[in-house]
Amino acid sequence: NRELGLFVVGSTATLEEVVVHDTLARADGLGGRGIGIENDPDTGAVSDVTVRRSLVAGNRDVGLVVSGSTATLEEVVVRDTLPRDDGLWGRGIHIRSDRDTGAVSDVAVRRSLLAGNCQVGLSIVGTTATLEEVVVRDTLAQAADGLFGDGIAVVGSFPGEGTFPPTAAHMTGVLVERSARAGVFFYNAGGSFCDSVLRGGVFAVALDQGADPMVCDDNLYEGNERNDVSVGQGLEPSPTLEREDL
């Protein structure tokens, strides 16, 4: 397929044992996403989608995106997402609010694997999500410039991109390993991070711009350059405005 492998807009759907791979970009080099789950901008209808026991691999730009919708992702593998032709993006899962309508997403990700994605393994922007028993490994830096490379990024409002709804992620039993920059990065966002393991990155947990999640004492940090919770390191989040939004 080209531009988008599977698209659900303003609808209810259950996807089980689905494989979406190697979606091609459009002629202008944009797109190539695996699965898109979005609200309908014309009617305001919100999608409510469950994805189980499915593989999303080798797509471009974003493996799976949820915008202004409700989704449950269980036993899903999202791997080897490629950047666009300009070398930007290549995220595994991107969960966001809808910039135009203000609709927020409510997403649960359980017992899932994200591996070999670029820029950010799993991003949560201007919305809320719950992660349980999720593995994020081998997140690469952005191909265009060697920047970023966060396993999980939870991003609230920041300069140049407008004001987002409150942003929070609640994570339990998460394993993040071998991220190019931070295992988990909170920027102007909240939530919680407990009973999890972070290994083999530069920063284990990075908090910036007033991020205030609850970081529990039962987490294990090992083999990172900074085996602690790093506050105020001046890290910038990767841009959250996609080319289609600009």
Side-chain angles (χ1 to χ4, degrees), residues 152-166:
I152 299 172
V154 188
V155 179
S157 301
F158 65 98
E161 298 214 2
T163 300
F164 299 170

Side-chain angles (χ1 to χ4, degrees), residues 1 19-25 32-34 55-63 77-83 115-117:
N1 298 298
V19 177
V20 182
H21 65 89
D22 300 316
T23 306
L24 301 175
R33 298 179 176 187
L55 171 65
V56 182
N59 300 289
R60 295 177 177 273
D61 193 20
V62 183
V77 176
V78 182
R79 60 173 173 83
D80 302 326
T81 309
L82 300 171
N117 300 295

Side-chain angles (χ1 to χ4, degrees), residues 31-65:
R33 298 179 176 187
I35 297 177
I37 301 169
E38 301 185 7
N39 59 312
D40 189 320
D42 297 321
T43 67
V46 173
S47 289
D48 186 353
V49 177
T50 298
V51 185
R52 295 192 184 99
R53 300 185 301 280
S54 294
L55 171 65
V56 182
N59 300 289
R60 295 177 177 273
D61 193 20
V62 183
L64 189 156
V65 59

